[in-house]
Amino acid sequence: MRIGILTSGGDCPGINATIRGVGKTAMVAHGMEVLGFHKGFSGIPAGSYEVLNMDKLSGILHLGGTILGTSREGHIGKALLQDEAFANEFCEAYHRLGLDAIVAIGGNGTMKTAKIVSDLGLNVVAIPKTIDNDVWGTDVTFGFDTAVSIATEAIDRLHSTAASHNRVMVVEVMGHHAGWIALHAGMAGAADVILLPELGFDIEVIKKDIVERAKAGKQHSIIVVAEGIEINGKKRPGHRLSKILSEETFLECRETVLGYVQRGGAPSATDRNLGTRMGGHAAQLISQGIFGVMVRMQGGALGHIPLSQVAGRLKVVEPDNELIIQGRRMGISFGLPRE
Ligand code: F6P
C-alpha cells in the first residue's frame, strides 16, 4: 500500500511525533510506502510531496512545528464542494499518485475537509491535533499538554513580578472559541480569576473580587482570560480588561498576551507519546481497511469515530467541568456571582 500524510491548519507541538508514528508504523509493521504532502491538502493536486523513508523520519520526534509545512485551508474544502472540476482534479491526483489512503493531521477545519474528501470516495484517516483541545469526539488532542505547560510557566513567572509591584496581571491565553487552555493553565498556575468563553462573565463581579482581595491584604492578583472572550463585543480581551480594571478600580493593572509562544517549540513528553500512539493507530486502521474516521482517545483508550460525527462540531468546556467545580470550592473566581 502507498499512503500520503499531510498536516493542515495551525501547527502545534507533537505533529512531527505523529508523522513519525504514522510513517514508521506503516513502514515497519505493514511494509507500506509513505509520502509526505507539503502544506496540507493543497499538496495533493499540486503534486508537492516527498518520500518519507526511515531516514527522513529520524531525529524529528522532539521538534516543534511540522516538517511537511501547513496552512489554513478552508478554501480547499469549499472548492472541493463547489467546484466539480477541482474535485475531479483532486481525485485524479490521488489516483495518479497511486495513493491507497490519506492521513490528515489537523484540527476542526481539517476534520471538515477530511470529511469532504472522504465523501468524494477517497480513503481518509484523520488525527486530531490542536493546542486548543476543542476537537469533538476525543478526550484530548496532542499539543494541548505542551501549550498548558508553557502558559502555566508564564503565569508562574508573572506571580513574582505582580507581587513585587502590587499589580493585577491579566494574562490572555489562546484557545480559539474554547476555554480549555485558560482553565487548565489558570488552575495549574494558581490564578485568582479565570475567564472562559463558555461561562461568560460579569465585569462588576471581577472588579469586586480583585478589590476585595486587595482590601484583605492581597494587593496582587492574576487574571487568566481566554482569547475567545469578547469584551463589549470586541476581541483582544486581555488588553480591554486590563484597561477597564485600571480605570474603574484603584488597582494598577498590566496585560500579557502569550500568543504564539504557546504553539511553538518542543512538545512535552506526554504530547510526543500521544502523537506517537495516535499516529501508530492511524496506520493500524489503514492496514485494517478502516476509513472515513478520526483517531480518538477516549477514557485512556485509543479508538476511532466516524468523521461524519466530528466534522463541524466543537468540544467546549462544560460548566460542570470538575476543574471548575474544584476551583470554585477553593474560592477561585470565574467572573460570575458565587452560588
Ligand atoms: O487553533 C490554534 C490557534 O493557535 C488558536 O488558539 C488561535 O486562535 C488560532 O490558532 C490562531 O490562528 P492563526 O494561526 O491562523 O493565526
Side-chain angles (χ1 to χ4, degrees):
M1 283 180 106
R2 175 183 259 202
I3 67 168
I5 306 175
L6 62 87
T7 59
S8 173
D11 72 342
C12 77
I15 298 181
N16 290 322
T18 311
I19 295 171
R20 174 178 173 271
V22 177
K24 287 199 171 183
T25 311
M27 284 185 262
V28 177
H30 304 292
M32 296 174 188
E33 204 182 331
V34 184
L35 307 185
F37 285 90
H38 301 143
K39 288 198 174 265
F41 288 94
S42 57
I44 293 179
S48 176
Y49 67 92
E50 61 196 280
V51 176
L52 295 179
N53 52 26
M54 293 299 269
D55 229 30
K56 283 252 177 78
L57 296 178
S58 179
I60 64 167
L61 174 61
H62 63 293
L63 300 179
T66 160
I67 57 162
L68 296 176
T70 188
S71 61
R72 297 273 183 208
E73 20 175 42
H75 62 283
I76 295 266
K78 230 186 221 169
L80 287 170
L81 277 178
Q82 295 169 358
D83 181 345
E84 209 183 317
F86 179 69
N88 287 339
E89 190 193 323
F90 191 96
C91 293
E92 273 164 29
Y94 173 97
H95 294 300
R96 192 175 53 247
L97 290 159
L99 292 172
D100 295 295
I102 299 169
V103 176
I105 303 171
N108 283 309
T110 302
M111 295 311 147
K112 281 192 209 163
T113 310
K115 154 96 171 42
I116 295 166
V117 171
S118 167
D119 288 346
L120 288 172
L122 307 184
N123 295 333
V124 185
V125 173
I127 308 178
K129 67 109 186 71
T130 168
I131 61 165
D132 302 336
N133 197 35
D134 61 350
V135 177
W136 179 264
T138 184
D139 291 349
V140 69
T141 55
F142 63 81
F144 176 62
D145 180 74
T146 309
V148 168
S149 301
I150 294 167
T152 302
E153 200 214 318
I155 297 165
D156 285 349
R157 288 175 184 277
L158 290 170
H159 274 281
S160 61
T161 174
S164 307
H165 287 268
N166 283 338
R167 280 174 174 160
V168 174
M169 290 291 184
V170 180
V171 194
E172 181 185 306
V173 297
M174 277 187 164
H176 208 212
H177 297 302
W180 293 106
I181 299 177
L183 176 60
H184 283 254
M187 288 297 287
D192 305 296
V193 181
I194 301 173
L195 303 176
L196 311 176
E198 293 89 342
L199 298 184
F201 68 96
D202 178 339
I203 191 75
E204 295 307 319
V205 173
I206 302 172
K207 281 178 357 194
K208 185 172 129 301
D209 286 342
I210 55 170
V211 165
E212 270 178 12
R213 269 177 58 80
K215 286 186 177 157
K218 292 269 189 186
Q219 291 275 336
H220 67 280
S221 291
I222 302 281
I223 302 179
V224 173
V225 55
E227 67 172 352
I229 291 253
E230 290 191 357
I231 300 206
N232 299 328
K234 292 195 175 129
K235 296 188 167 145
R236 300 185 62 213
H239 167 73
R240 290 179 206 286
L241 195 59
S242 171
K243 190 162 179 291
I244 293 171
L245 296 176
S246 293
E247 285 169 1
E248 299 182 15
T249 70
F250 58 87
L251 297 160
E252 193 182 12
C253 306
R254 293 284 190 275
E255 81 266 15
T256 302
V257 179
L258 291 185
Y260 293 91
V261 291
Q262 294 160 100
R263 248 166 66 174
S268 65
T270 296
D271 281 338
R272 292 179 199 192
N273 288 337
L274 183 57
T276 297
R277 293 171 68 196
M278 285 186 159
H281 196 71
Q284 296 294 113
L285 290 173
I286 293 171
S287 74
Q288 292 160 23
I290 299 172
F291 302 113
V293 296
M294 181 190 84
V295 174
R296 67 146 137 195
M297 183 63 81
Q298 203 185 22
L302 283 167
H304 60 274
I305 178 170
L307 281 166
S308 55
Q309 286 180 33
V310 173
R313 289 172 90 176
L314 211 60
K315 183 188 74 181
V316 293
V317 180
E318 297 296 336
D320 63 352
N321 183 291
E322 187 267 323
L323 210 44
I324 298 179
I325 293 170
Q326 178 55 25
R328 285 213 173 102
R329 284 192 200 120
M330 296 163 69
I332 293 165
S333 169
F334 285 85
L336 291 169
R338 291 177 207 285
E339 283 137 28

